[in-house]
Amino acid sequence: MNNFYNQQTIAGKVSLSGTGVHSGKKTSLTIRPAKENHGIKFRRLDLPGTPDIPALFKQVVDTSLATVIGDKGAIVSTIEHLMASFAGLGIDNALVEVDDYEIPIMDGSAREFTRAITNVGLVAQDRPKHLFIVNEPIEIRQADKWVRVEPESCFRISCTIDFNHPLIGLQKIVYDKAENNFEQKICGARTFGFVKDLELLKKFSLGKGGSLDNAIVIDNDKILNKGGLRYPDEFVRHKLLDCLGDFSLLGMPIQGHIITHKSGHHLNHLFIKKFLDEKQAWETGPAKC
């Protein structure tokens, strides 16, 4: 059972390996328990000095195709699905050791990360978990896209997407932390892309590791993956998964209701900057939900 009042780490080490969706390189990672107030950090084992990079907003160096963090020339890319697993499971402290710069895409969702972590178990620690408690709304807009947070008694996130495509269209989902159903409702939703976009990415030497094994691929009028979708609204569920990973870079959970409309990594990143700047709109305090 998750303990959302005290800080948590994992009960033992977890090791996985897979391919980076953009680099096409095989990467291995090991997640290790960490002490109280350590936070989530990534360690590059393949670089001299094995530098650590904290998973925090101020370390974000790119959001164009994935969330990339860096420090003093060392980077770790495509962290959002693993970060979503930590957020969804209520894990505050962990060390992630990697032997290359891109986190493996696995099956395109957070399911394999989440299963590996839950298999080893979680440990409640002796220090209380602290939250950003939202007292006033904060909002950022770019044309028809926006992110907003409002006061709420616990953590809730509402996500809306709207694609001009017959297989997607307008979709909305609400995730409430109090229901404790991240594993059942969110973690298995896969990333998705269109055939035309994947071809363009490969022209620029990106998406080298993308395949039907790790993404939903959409053509003009059909889904190319054998077996189709895992959920009827898998597209918006995955966008919410990405949001969980992005907003976890605040470094502490939010007590509030985040509402996103057609947002992506870049706008989520801009929202976090605005959120941290508007200190009159929130306070920090121990978790009560």
Side-chain angles (χ1 to χ4, degrees), residues 1 8 64 78 100 106 129 169 191 235 268 273 284 288:
M1 186 77 175
Q8 292 193 126
S64 54
T78 322
D100 212 310
M106 310 309 287
K129 187 191 299 280
T191 192
F235 305 107
N268 292 343
K273 183 178 186 301
T284 62
K288 297 180 180 179

Side-chain angles (χ1 to χ4, degrees), residues 22 65 197-208:
H22 293 301
L65 294 171
D197 295 334
L198 296 177
E199 291 171 350
L200 183 64
L201 284 174
K202 290 184 179 180
K203 283 183 181 179
F204 289 94
S205 296
L206 297 167
K208 293 178 180 178

Side-chain angles (χ1 to χ4, degrees), residues 80-102:
E80 56 269 20
H81 299 169
L82 178 55
M83 291 301 297
S85 289
F86 291 143
L89 295 172
I91 295 171
D92 307 277
N93 305 302
L95 176 65
V96 184
E97 298 176 337
V98 292
D99 64 1
D100 212 310
Y101 73 88
E102 188 174 19

Side-chain angles (χ1 to χ4, degrees), residues 137-140 146-150 257-261 271:
I138 302 172
E139 182 176 284
I140 190 168
W146 46 269
V147 181
R148 176 181 173 88
V149 67
E150 300 174 347
H257 182 187
I258 295 175
I259 305 162
T260 76
H261 182 75
F271 171 79

